[in-house]
Amino acid sequence: MSTFALHAAVEPPTSSQRQWWETRWFAALLILLSIVPLLYPQNAPFVDLLGHIGRYRVQLDGDTSPWLRQYYEYSWAPIGNLGVDGLVELLGPFLGLELAVKLIVMVIPALTVAGFLLVAREVHHRLPPTALFSLLFVYNHPLLFGFANFALSMALAFLAFGLWLRLARQQRFRLRAILFVPISFVLFFAHTFGWGTLGLLAFSAEAVREHDSGRGWFRSIFNAALHASVMALPVVAMLAWRYETSGDMTRAWFEWKLKWEWIYSAVRDRWRWFDIATVSTIPLLVLFTLVSRRLAFSRNLAFSALVLAICFVILPWTVFGSAYADMRLAPYMIAIVPLAIRFRDETHLPTARAIAVVGLSLFVIRIAGVTWSMTIAALDQEAKLEALDHLPRGARVVSLVGRDCRRAWELPRNSHLPGLIMARREGFSNDQWQIDGINLMEVKYDAGLFRKDPSQMVFPDWCGGKRRWTVNKALKAIPRDKFDYVWMVDIPAINPELTRDMTRVWQGHGSMLYRLDR
């Protein structure tokens, strides 16, 4: 009868032959495969990303564009949310804005794959076939929602964690302490979440290493905290940053229904059955590990998974004014579980080959599904964006993007499609966020109710509820003297009387552009 066990990794004999899933060429192939879904779309069709692209245009050209200068103001500040912003500042002037963003975003899943594989390699001293199951979570809910700075910081955090483990294995603790001071600042300014996650991973791994060396748990935890404290200096920058902000910093604690939703929707994209089936492979893998006589869990990563699970439970929905805080951690918390699984003693090759084939097959299927989903979204957005060809530069556009009454599983990818009005036509768009301490761009233009997000998101009138921002309410509320055009995307049926003072300029699939008549 098999038993569940937590094992420390044992260094394999140097003479042991590497299997195909353990080779560098195979790891390189997995990294390249991860970028396939983003090859076709001109802009990755992630929910929030197109809105960010609009902000990046202001970042690059706000001082020189006579139109953007009227509508927006951009001021740099040392905040913990600058990852992609900083790279755009470096690459945008040479490559052009949209190409620069495309390349940066393509790198994120590649770095995530590399980070997962590096961590597994350092913990187990060779790559276990079970690590392939973690790659199912590379295109996860937060990334597909367009949390670009966050996703970049998490990819860098896992790479840094792999380096932390390698230097510990080599007993190079002084070098590690020196290196991780600047690394912690890079992670913090990319996004605070990645910095915090790295600290938790490093602490948990160090506690297990100290305990394995013969120390008690109390002493091990104390020593681990001391080692991880080399990454604490960004706290000073965080305190200075948050001191200048105000408002509702945290809310929605211990929302159990939501937390369960974040778990089963960890890779939410388009097809509910496909996404939930992907997540379901992990409990099946865990069950197989529990009943197997050959498999076990590494104490190192099992403890890391436990620490992240505790943080997931504790985290509220909103932290520092940034929503979906607990949702963001869920896929990475789950991805660590297959990384922790290893063979108890010698690798049983028939079992290992079977696991590797299944894991690789599932990853290829997942990549194919995400590629198809990205292509569908990109084709839909390209057709709708033809409306922008009929806008003059600097146009003041109020956009209305339809939303379902009920929350659909498919991500609302067009929610920030209007951000490309700023990026391509240097016009005003009403889809930009204004969150204290989070955004470096301020909306200057006085557009009343249509100054910022979520004024662009409208619901059908039959949804019910007096507080619903419906399409007909929005059309009535548009200040005619403040805007030149109205762009409607995926909207439900409207009252035609509300467009009598407008001239339809263009109509395409799910997209209509009206000029306001004076």
Side-chain angles (χ1 to χ4, degrees), residues 243-315:
Y243 177 77
E244 299 296 329
T245 63
S246 60
D248 191 3
M249 291 292 98
T250 59
R251 60 190 177 95
W253 298 80
F254 304 113
E255 295 284 347
W256 303 116
K257 184 178 179 181
L258 272 180
K259 288 187 185 295
W260 168 238
E261 180 181 336
W262 303 148
I263 291 174
Y264 69 74
S265 63
V267 293
R268 180 184 166 199
D269 180 6
R270 182 180 298 273
W271 303 288
R272 183 186 180 97
W273 65 268
F274 183 53
D275 300 335
I276 294 180
T278 299
V279 177
S280 299
T281 60
I282 302 306
L284 292 176
L285 180 63
V286 170
L287 180 62
F288 179 71
T289 302
L290 293 175
V291 301
S292 172
R293 296 180 179 181
R294 297 187 173 96
L295 297 176
F297 286 86
S298 158
R299 283 195 300 270
N300 191 321
L301 289 180
F303 189 51
S304 296
L306 176 62
V307 169
L308 292 190
I310 293 171
C311 290
F312 173 73
V313 170
I314 294 174
L315 272 174

Side-chain angles (χ1 to χ4, degrees), residues 45-63:
F46 300 162
V47 177
D48 285 357
L49 183 64
L50 301 181
H52 295 318
I53 291 175
R55 186 182 77 250
Y56 300 149
R57 174 60 70 197
V58 178
Q59 171 188 325
L60 294 176
D61 300 326
D63 292 336

